[in-house]
Amino acid sequence: MTAQGTVTPGPGTVPPPGSPPGPGSGTPRAAGPAAGTAGPPRPGLASRLAGRTRGGLVQLLLAVIGLVWLTPVAGLLVASLRPEEDNTSSGWWTAFADPGRLSLDGYTALLRDSGIVDAFWNTVLISVPATATVIVVAALAGYAFAWLEFPGRDWIFLVVVAMLVVPVQVGLLPVAKMFGALGLFGTIPGVILFHVAYGLPFAVFLLRNYFAEIPREMLEAARMDGGGEWRIFTRLVLPLGRPAIASLGIFQFLWVWNDMLVALIFADSGSQPLTVALQSQMRQFGSNIGVLAPGAFLSLIVPVAIFFAFQRHFVQGVMAGSVK
């Protein structure tokens, strides 16, 4: 009790109703929305949709869609293993009634065809250098556009981006005239140069944007440690950019391997790839399933093997930048 006769509430005393809680009050202040405490953020539409895709029904639907997409591939494989008379008389699905008639005779006959074998190696000789050259040049240019200062850098990059809208068909006639003057028309180097020229704009655009996401502090720390630009590029930038480079390599390889338009114009009979060779077989023999089915599956299996070999890097490159 004080001198004025009032009672001072102690630490354990409950204050009267209606009085604000003071520092000595034993009742804690309620924590809620009025106290400024924010709750967990509401998930967005994309998060809710992603959560719903984990259900068993959605997974079953995706599996059915995958099987539907794989049906033509399975039909092509079965047709390549059937005798030609069976393919001409009935559908490929009837082979399961008598699986003993399936054999590798079609592939054996295909590998004995020197024209198809030469076309297969021509495809390899075109696809591998075209893909490797695009990756090397685009990696160097992407690093330069992202981290090096030189006059006109932004304007040159805008020109490269503008070349993405130029269709392939626009350059067929002028490039054919130029290759004819240079002696490259109808040769494998001519086909490679055309693929490199039209593959570089997208490749430079992709790698430049990926390399630009590298933290500047990391590059500055490497420069402070005495690293030159070439050493930084080879020891730091290239390992960090491996997912994007793998994605670019898969895209470029698939485009060149499956191309028929460019090879049909710029390659002659001695440098034609597998796609042109199979097209000539169809034109010459009509429905020659005994050659077309094994050749088409042989042309298909190589890109599929490349994709599955670099699948992990491909997914990382596609998802880069989508999750922060």
Side-chain angles (χ1 to χ4, degrees):
M1 180 177 293
T2 61
Q4 288 77 11
T6 58
V7 179
T8 303
T13 306
V14 178
S19 61
S25 173
T27 304
R29 181 173 297 181
T37 304
R42 183 180 179 182
L45 178 60
S47 300
R48 295 197 300 269
L49 292 177
R52 293 178 181 178
T53 58
R54 300 173 184 174
L57 182 60
V58 176
Q59 296 291 336
L60 179 61
L61 179 61
L62 293 177
V64 171
I65 294 175
L67 291 176
V68 171
W69 277 98
L70 288 176
T71 299
V73 180
L76 181 63
L77 175 62
V78 174
S80 66
L81 297 175
R82 300 180 72 196
E84 186 173 0
E85 57 272 12
D86 291 351
N87 286 323
T88 56
S89 60
S90 60
W92 62 268
W93 53 89
T94 60
F96 298 102
D98 188 11
R101 291 182 59 83
L102 300 179
S103 65
L104 297 176
D105 295 340
Y107 290 94
T108 303
L110 182 71
L111 295 178
R112 291 175 182 174
D113 190 339
S114 60
I116 296 296
V117 174
D118 293 341
F120 176 81
W121 289 115
N122 288 337
T123 308
V124 175
L125 293 177
I126 293 173
S127 302
V128 174
T131 303
T133 304
V134 167
I135 290 176
V136 172
V137 176
L140 293 171
Y143 176 73
F145 284 125
W147 295 109
L148 298 183
E149 298 289 342
F150 54 90
R153 182 189 66 174
D154 296 336
W155 288 104
I156 298 175
F157 183 69
L158 288 177
V159 172
V160 173
V161 173
M163 294 176 63
L164 289 172
V165 302
V166 179
V168 176
Q169 293 79 3
V170 173
L172 292 177
L173 183 58
V175 174
K177 292 182 178 179
M178 182 181 65
F179 282 179
L182 297 176
L184 295 175
F185 190 83
T187 62
I188 290 180
V191 181
I192 294 174
L193 287 177
F194 191 93
H195 284 301
V196 170
Y198 271 86
L200 277 177
F202 173 74
V204 173
F205 176 76
L206 176 67
L207 294 186
R208 183 265 177 193
N209 292 339
Y210 192 90
F211 292 161
E213 298 294 329
I214 299 176
R216 182 181 295 271
E217 294 78 9
M218 187 179 300
L219 300 179
E220 292 178 350
R223 293 189 180 98
M224 292 179 62
D225 291 339
E229 296 297 336
W230 178 253
R231 188 177 183 87
I232 293 174
F233 173 73
T234 56
R235 299 295 182 87
L236 182 62
V237 176
L238 286 184
L240 292 176
R242 186 179 302 169
I245 294 174
S247 301
L248 172 62
I250 292 175
F251 281 127
Q252 179 69 14
F253 183 84
L254 292 180
W255 179 50
V256 178
W257 183 276
N258 296 321
D259 170 74
M260 188 178 70
L261 175 63
V262 176
L264 190 62
I265 296 175
F266 292 96
D268 57 9
S269 59
S271 58
Q272 62 182 6
L274 189 58
T275 53
V276 179
L278 293 177
Q279 190 268 346
S280 64
Q281 291 283 339
M282 181 180 297
R283 184 179 64 240
Q284 182 176 359
F285 298 106
S287 58
N288 191 6
I289 305 299
V291 176
L292 293 178
F297 192 80
L298 179 64
S299 178
L300 169 70
I301 196 63
V302 175
V304 171
I306 295 295
F307 175 79
F308 280 106
F310 297 95
Q311 181 182 12
R312 179 171 60 89
H313 300 292
F314 176 75
V315 174
Q316 293 176 0
V318 171
M319 296 299 294
S322 62
V323 181
K324 296 294 184 183

